[in-house]
Amino acid sequence: MGSNPSDKKVTEEQLVKDLQAGKTGSFEQLANLYQKKIYALSFNLTRNITDSQDVTQEVLLTLFRKGHTFQGKSAFSSWVYRITLNASYMKLRSRKREPNVSIDELLPSFNSSGFQQEKIQDWSENTESLLFDNETREVIQKAVDLLPEKEKIVFILRDVEGLSTEKVSNILELTIPAVKSRLHRARLFLRKKLASYFEEYKVQKESK
Amino acid sequence: MICCKECIELLHDYLEGDLSTETNASLEEHFADCPPCIAFVNTYKSASRLCKATLTSNEIPDSVKNKLKEFVEKNNNT
């Protein structure tokens, strides 16, 4: 990918135009532009290397073969994300379902006057350095895996991929308030899940 | 005064800067007197940041990169 962002944009625009016009020969460019994104999203949903490789190949082929049907009503990248999601969900469908976790149990609790009921510790400082630790990374990855599908995909597209609320609402065909509310629920869930780990970690460190 | 529950419900919009000036001010007034809520906000932001840092660091493994390269070369020539 070019170092200059405007270079990249021209390439992408041209590529999409070529695909729409049914011109071939840009498969390599297409792969260069999108394979990383496709693989990353698929891996975050399936957590399986082989499945993600399959999905990446499938999606690249679909883009290549069906590119001429892309109507340009939304961004091309939204289309790429949507096809990737569908292909990843197809992979998940063939797997045994894991029992769903109820998100409500992990939402904050309040007393009758609306004040926080549990003791909230601030473990946010210095957690960044723990990211080099395999155990921490595993705990974080597991916490995201435990999110119910509806919340998980919104969280991955918004907070991990960094897409805007509007773009996510477009990709998932959800209203803006629905995207916001699912993202908020996902963050509450993850905060709570990670709290138990990091609070314990802090206690251990302080007692040393 | 606005309670913890209301503040936490509005947290997403507060961090996005989507609240009206008055609502924003009442949240900040609450936070000024409520250390548990400050801890909550800090850890809410932190959780999202930590997940992002972890999940974006998953690179394509070399074995898959090679397979994809073969796949691309194959399709580039057809």
Side-chain angles (χ1 to χ4, degrees):
Chain A
M1 268 176 246
S3 51
N4 184 343
S6 63
D7 279 354
K8 189 193 145 198
K9 208 168 176 201
V10 173
T11 319
E12 189 172 359
E13 253 179 46
Q14 192 53 50
L15 182 78
V16 174
K17 270 189 195 149
D18 285 352
L19 281 173
Q20 281 179 305
K23 282 189 206 163
T24 49
S26 45
F27 193 79
E28 196 179 351
Q29 274 180 303
L30 184 77
N32 284 342
L33 271 172
Y34 291 108
Q35 73 175 25
K36 229 178 144 183
K37 267 191 199 311
I38 299 169
Y39 182 87
L41 178 58
S42 177
F43 187 74
N44 280 330
L45 289 170
T46 62
R47 275 286 167 258
N48 180 294
I49 292 174
T50 316
D51 282 351
S52 308
Q53 182 189 316
D54 285 355
V55 168
T56 310
Q57 296 187 348
E58 242 171 73
V59 175
L60 288 174
L61 268 189
T62 307
L63 296 174
F64 195 54
R65 289 181 180 154
K66 302 215 173 133
H68 64 278
T69 66
F70 173 66
Q71 295 181 333
K73 279 182 192 156
S74 56
F76 187 73
S77 58
S78 299
W79 198 53
V80 177
Y81 278 118
R82 210 173 297 145
I83 299 173
T84 308
L85 278 182
N86 289 338
S88 306
Y89 285 141
M90 285 301 277
K91 287 280 177 200
L92 290 175
R93 210 167 292 164
S94 55
R95 271 194 223 162
K96 241 194 196 164
R97 265 186 187 277
E98 308 230 347
N100 272 336
V101 183
S102 160
I103 201 164
D104 295 315
E105 282 167 35
L106 289 168
L107 298 183
S109 56
F110 304 93
N111 64 20
S112 55
S113 10
F115 287 93
Q116 302 211 52
Q117 236 163 359
E118 41 192 324
K119 201 169 163 271
I120 308 286
Q121 287 187 39
D122 192 347
W123 43 265
S124 64
E125 264 176 62
N126 305 323
T127 41
E128 246 71 8
S129 61
L130 293 174
L131 285 175
F132 299 106
D133 178 350
N134 276 338
E135 188 200 336
T136 309
R137 295 172 53 84
E138 217 167 281
V139 167
I140 293 174
Q141 208 141 316
K142 265 201 189 129
V144 177
D145 290 347
L146 276 175
L147 274 170
E149 282 315 320
K150 279 180 177 176
E151 278 82 12
K152 190 196 290 178
I153 187 55
V154 171
F155 179 78
I156 290 175
L157 293 176
R158 276 285 284 126
D159 280 5
V160 179
E161 295 291 322
L163 304 183
S164 69
T165 306
E166 288 71 24
K167 197 156 185 184
V168 175
S169 113
N170 183 275
I171 294 170
L172 301 177
E173 292 172 341
L174 287 173
T175 63
I176 301 266
V179 173
K180 288 181 173 181
S181 128
R182 286 180 194 187
L183 177 65
H184 183 53
R185 283 163 63 85
R187 287 172 174 173
L188 291 174
F189 176 97
L190 293 168
R191 193 208 72 83
K192 179 82 181 174
K193 273 272 163 205
L194 298 187
S196 41
Y197 176 73
F198 285 116
E199 278 167 14
E200 196 182 319
Y201 189 90
K202 216 174 152 216
V203 171
Q204 274 176 9
K205 212 172 130 197
E206 276 161 10
S207 65
K208 268 181 198 165
Chain B
M1 193 169 98
I2 183 169
C3 67
C4 301
K5 186 169 186 266
E6 290 168 284
C7 285
I8 287 166
E9 275 166 6
L10 295 170
L11 209 48
H12 171 282
D13 290 349
Y14 169 73
L15 295 173
E16 290 284 305
D18 284 346
L19 296 176
S20 69
T21 324
E22 301 93 88
T23 316
N24 201 67
S26 38
L27 252 77
E28 277 171 2
E29 196 189 332
H30 175 99
F31 292 151
D33 280 332
C34 185
C37 272
I38 294 286
F40 197 98
V41 176
N42 287 343
T43 50
Y44 177 93
K45 290 200 276 190
S46 203
S48 159
R49 219 171 29 233
L50 290 165
C51 291
K52 180 183 175 134
T54 304
L55 296 190
T56 48
S57 61
N58 288 318
E59 290 279 332
I60 305 185
D62 284 341
S63 61
V64 176
K65 259 189 202 159
N66 292 335
K67 290 252 173 62
L68 286 173
K69 208 170 161 238
E70 276 170 35
F71 175 78
V72 168
E73 276 161 12
K74 199 182 100 200
N75 283 284
N76 224 16
N77 298 328
T78 48

